[in-house]
Amino acid sequence: MKVKIVMLLAGLLLFSCKSPEARRPVTQKSGSYINEAVERNRKIVAEEEAQIQRIIKNDSTREYISSPNGFWYFYNVKDTTSTKTPQFGDVVEFDYSLQTLDGQNIYTDEEITPRTYTMDKEQLFSGLRQGLKIMKEGETVTFLFPSHKAFGYYGDKKRIGKDVPVISKVTLMNISEETEENNNQNN
């Protein structure tokens, strides 16, 4: 009897120590949807960049600069004496407007009004955030942003639809270091 109990306990121990097996999914999906989305986005980017390159090619009056961040720009007003550009935490006051690539106004600078922004601590579309970092106080720069650097797939849910590249004319009026007062206003 003891031998049967010992064998039963040994059998239970042997089978209860089995590690759990991974469950397999009922259906397996391929990466085709992701691959299709990537390919669709590549086509959109290529089309937008071709539009921007046509604008640049047809405008021989300005010197366009290609940013390593994926947008193009030219200076309307350039400061050649100052070296100060906004850094992380600086508070900048700027004015800007937004247009489609064919020059239709989306938002005028009067509609947006001067804007105060704490560098990299508040929300701002990525192209404009990166563009402000290259500007100096008093400069006016016109940026050509592909949609992925502007409002992307979702737009702004008001006047800018999905995948709309934009032209933005930006004037940087003031750069100041972040103060306690500004810090308290942002919180």
Side-chain angles (χ1 to χ4, degrees):
M1 177 87 162
K2 284 185 178 182
V3 172
K4 286 184 180 180
I5 292 175
V6 170
M7 288 191 51
L8 182 65
L9 287 174
L12 284 173
L13 263 172
L14 185 64
F15 290 110
S16 65
C17 292
K18 184 179 176 186
S19 63
E21 291 182 28
R23 297 185 311 166
R24 302 285 174 221
V26 176
T27 58
Q28 292 183 356
K29 301 225 182 223
S30 68
S32 65
Y33 174 75
I34 293 172
N35 294 338
E36 289 170 11
V38 167
E39 191 56 38
R40 185 175 52 248
N41 288 338
R42 283 185 180 149
K43 286 180 184 176
I44 289 170
V45 169
E47 289 170 10
E48 291 175 358
E49 287 182 357
Q51 280 181 292
I52 291 171
Q53 289 304 321
R54 281 192 296 276
I55 290 170
I56 292 170
K57 184 179 178 183
N58 293 332
D59 186 2
S60 61
T61 62
R62 295 183 177 98
E63 182 184 338
Y64 287 84
I65 301 165
S66 176
S67 165
N69 294 314
F71 57 86
W72 293 261
Y73 63 97
F74 64 87
Y75 286 92
N76 301 79
V77 176
K78 185 172 182 168
D79 182 349
T80 57
T81 59
S82 177
T83 60
K84 183 179 180 185
T85 58
Q87 302 300 313
F88 177 83
D90 285 349
V91 178
V92 294
E93 186 178 352
F94 65 99
D95 210 357
Y96 72 105
S97 62
L98 292 172
Q99 297 179 329
T100 61
L101 290 183
D102 61 0
Q104 302 274 335
N105 280 333
I106 301 171
Y107 293 106
T108 64
D109 54 354
E110 290 87 20
E111 291 177 288
I112 297 174
T113 67
R115 164 108 195 237
T116 302
Y117 169 70
T118 305
M119 294 301 294
D120 297 326
K121 291 190 174 186
E122 297 177 56
Q123 293 230 337
L124 194 62
F125 69 89
S126 70
L128 184 54
R129 185 175 58 244
Q130 293 164 341
L132 285 168
K133 290 178 182 179
I134 62 174
M135 294 181 70
K136 299 172 195 153
E137 210 170 84
E139 289 185 332
T140 300
V141 178
T142 299
F143 295 97
L144 287 79
F145 296 119
S147 65
H148 67 276
K149 285 296 180 181
F151 294 89
Y153 181 76
Y154 294 104
D156 74 343
K157 304 203 190 274
K158 295 175 188 160
R159 297 184 194 173
I160 302 173
K162 71 178 199 166
D163 298 324
V164 175
V166 296
I167 296 174
S168 183
K169 185 175 180 181
V170 182
T171 301
L172 182 57
M173 296 176 281
N174 187 33
I175 303 171
S176 58
E177 291 184 16
E178 184 177 37
T179 62
E180 273 305 309
E181 182 180 312
N182 290 333
N183 213 4
N184 292 335
Q185 288 176 357
N186 290 336
N187 293 331

